[in-house]
């Protein structure tokens, strides 16, 4: 029955797409390029699905909360300024299946991460972007996470694309597509002003090394944020250095405990994930485990009690950029006080 329903939905959308000229063919269409793919709309999308925390928060920041037909998979609580808007949105704790997504009849899918469009990604992959476009559903991946080809995931991210400039470009382009250019410009200006304030304050300060690690050891090792992770950008803006920036194969890289000890970072951020009610306090048990582990007793971060409960959401590319830079600046440079 499920297969029949999928086919019915797909056929219906295909027929709709076939009956009307495509946005790319319309003289009034707005077209922008995202991760090498032309995204065209005849008018501002009215039925938007937002997958993952960065996409959900960006939708609220752009003021299109009332166009959300669904949201899915928050890594933590949304920022306080978006709490009221998110409480009114339809929410899926886990990513919906492709069938469930299409049953919502979205005209646009905004994703904070690329694996939702990757055949080799999550179990709930929505399918390739081309496949969705063929059904009349336009899509967007945050540009700092662009894979080299449609259908690929984190293994294909170019670290050179991981930047706040690409976040700003996304905001500008989505502002055009959604017809909210002025709102997008305000968000960009606010992000730039706040990040510049932190970067100016820390420019002459020592730059400690920072490791972002995911709780839960796997096979005797641990997972750290490598160079393509957006945490690298945020740490730099806050006056630090990602201790694992040279690992560029993926965003999240498995390493041995011995390698972690060898790097001996000044700060360790415990990246808690993934639940819509999560706060940094949820990572405190993992902080305590590291502080109490004799194997880590001589690490600089342990001796200085610089092992900090944190959130995975904080180092995702998006409109959290300013918030995280400010937050991380206070963690790495408490001696500077609250000058931003």
């Amino acid at each position: 029955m499920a297969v029949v329903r999928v086919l019915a939905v797909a056929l219906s959308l295909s027929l709709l797409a076939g009956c009307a000229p495509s946005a790319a063919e319309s003289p009034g269409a707005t077209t922008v390029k995202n991760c090498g793919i032309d995204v065209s709309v005849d008018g501002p999308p009215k039925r938007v699905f937002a997958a993952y925390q960065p996409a959900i928060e960006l939708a609220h920041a752009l003021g299109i909360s009332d166009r959300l037909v669904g949201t899915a998979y928050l890594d933590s609580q949304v920022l306080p300024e978006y709490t009221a808007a998110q409480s009114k949105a339809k929410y899926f704790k886990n990513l919906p299946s492709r069938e469930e997504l299409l049953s919502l009849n979205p005209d646009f899918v905004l994703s904070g991460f690329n694996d939702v469009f990757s055949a080799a990604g999550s179990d709930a992959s929505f399918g390739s972007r081309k496949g969705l476009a063929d059904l009349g559903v336009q899509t967007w991946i945050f540009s700092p996470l662009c894979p080299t080809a449609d259908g690929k995931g984190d293994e294909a991210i170019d670290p050179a694309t991981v930047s706040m400039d690409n976040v700003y470009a996304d905001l500008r382009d989505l502002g055009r597509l959604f017809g909210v250019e002025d709102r997008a410009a305000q968000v960009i200006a606010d992000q730039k002003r706040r990040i510049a304030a932190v970067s100016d304050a820390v420019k002459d300060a020592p730059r400690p090394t920072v490791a972002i690690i995911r709780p839960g050891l796997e096979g005797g090792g641990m997972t750290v944020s490598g160079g393509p992770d957006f945490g690298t950008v945020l740490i730099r803006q806050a006056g630090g250095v990602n201790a694992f920036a040279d690992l560029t194969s993926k965003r999240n890289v498995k390493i041995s405990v011995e390698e972690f000890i060898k790097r001996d970072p000044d700060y360790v951020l415990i990246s808690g994930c993934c639940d819509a009610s999560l706060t940094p306090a949820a990572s405190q048990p993992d902080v305590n485990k590291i502080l109490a582990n004799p194997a880590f007793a001589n690490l600089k971060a342990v001796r200085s009690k610089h092992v900090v409960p944190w959130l995975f959401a904080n180092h995702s590319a998006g409109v959290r950029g300013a918030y995280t830079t400010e937050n991380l600046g206070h963690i790495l440079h408490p001696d500077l006080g609250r000058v931003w």
Side-chain angles (χ1 to χ4, degrees):
M1 182 62 74
V3 172
V4 172
R5 188 177 174 195
V6 170
L7 291 174
V9 172
L11 178 59
S12 175
L13 288 171
S14 296
L15 289 173
L16 287 173
C19 290
S22 70
E25 297 169 343
S26 171
T30 300
T31 303
V32 297
K33 195 176 288 294
N34 169 240
C35 296
I37 292 177
D38 284 337
V39 180
S40 295
V41 296
D42 278 334
K46 298 178 180 177
R47 298 183 61 79
V48 181
F49 188 92
Y52 298 119
Q53 188 112 16
I56 294 170
E57 293 188 336
L58 183 140
H60 294 316
L62 288 180
I64 62 165
S65 308
D66 59 346
R67 304 185 209 174
L68 292 171
V69 296
T71 62
Y73 208 102
L74 284 168
D75 299 318
S76 69
Q77 292 182 0
V78 296
L79 289 173
E81 55 265 44
Y82 310 135
T83 300
Q86 182 57 28
S87 68
K88 300 173 184 174
K90 182 179 178 64
Y91 178 66
F92 294 79
K93 182 176 181 180
N94 298 308
L95 291 174
S97 65
R98 176 181 167 87
E99 175 190 3
E100 290 175 304
L101 172 74
L102 295 179
S103 73
L104 297 171
N105 193 26
D107 57 11
F108 203 100
V109 175
L110 183 63
S111 178
F113 294 100
N114 51 41
D115 68 337
V116 78
F117 301 123
S118 168
S122 66
D123 292 338
S125 172
F126 297 157
S128 72
R129 300 180 66 187
K130 181 181 184 307
L132 288 169
D134 289 343
L135 296 177
V137 183
Q138 296 299 311
T139 59
W140 194 273
I141 296 174
F142 280 29
S143 296
L145 302 177
C146 280
T148 54
D150 191 15
K152 290 192 175 182
D154 280 357
E155 76 282 0
I157 295 174
D158 178 357
T161 67
V162 181
S163 72
M164 278 303 297
D165 285 341
N166 271 336
V167 173
Y168 302 146
D170 282 346
L171 283 163
R172 278 192 293 270
D173 290 341
L174 288 168
R176 286 184 59 204
L177 291 175
F178 291 128
V180 291
E181 294 95 329
D182 290 348
R183 181 70 172 255
Q186 291 171 7
V187 175
I188 293 169
D190 178 65
Q191 295 279 313
K192 286 186 173 181
R193 175 185 58 78
R194 294 164 61 189
I195 291 170
V198 178
S199 295
D200 286 347
V202 304
K203 63 181 179 183
D204 296 324
R207 305 185 78 80
T209 56
V210 182
I212 302 175
I213 70 171
R214 299 285 298 275
L217 303 181
E218 301 172 10
M222 58 177 57
T223 301
V224 299
S225 293
D229 187 87
F230 206 71
T232 302
V233 172
L234 300 168
I235 292 170
R236 182 170 61 246
Q237 290 175 169
V241 177
N242 183 353
F244 295 94
D246 60 313
L247 305 182
T248 58
S249 61
K250 295 179 68 175
R251 284 191 307 120
N252 301 307
V253 185
K254 286 191 68 174
I255 64 166
S256 66
V257 170
E258 290 76 13
E259 181 65 19
F260 179 64
I261 293 173
K262 178 182 175 183
R263 300 276 179 136
D264 194 13
D266 296 302
Y267 283 82
V268 175
L269 308 179
I270 306 299
S271 176
C273 191
C274 305
D275 186 277
S277 64
L278 201 70
T279 67
S283 295
Q284 190 59 49
D286 292 295
V287 170
N288 296 340
K289 287 180 184 177
I290 289 182
L291 293 175
N293 189 333
F296 300 142
N298 289 323
L299 289 179
K300 288 182 289 187
V302 171
R303 294 201 308 270
S304 304
K305 300 291 191 293
H306 287 165
V307 183
V308 182
W310 219 47
L311 293 171
F312 178 80
N314 284 351
H315 55 105
S316 299
V319 295
R320 273 195 181 233
Y323 165 82
T324 300
T325 301
E326 292 169 339
N327 177 251
L328 193 50
H330 290 307
I331 292 172
L332 302 183
H333 301 285
D335 52 311
L336 294 179
R338 301 241 166 210
V339 296
W340 51 82

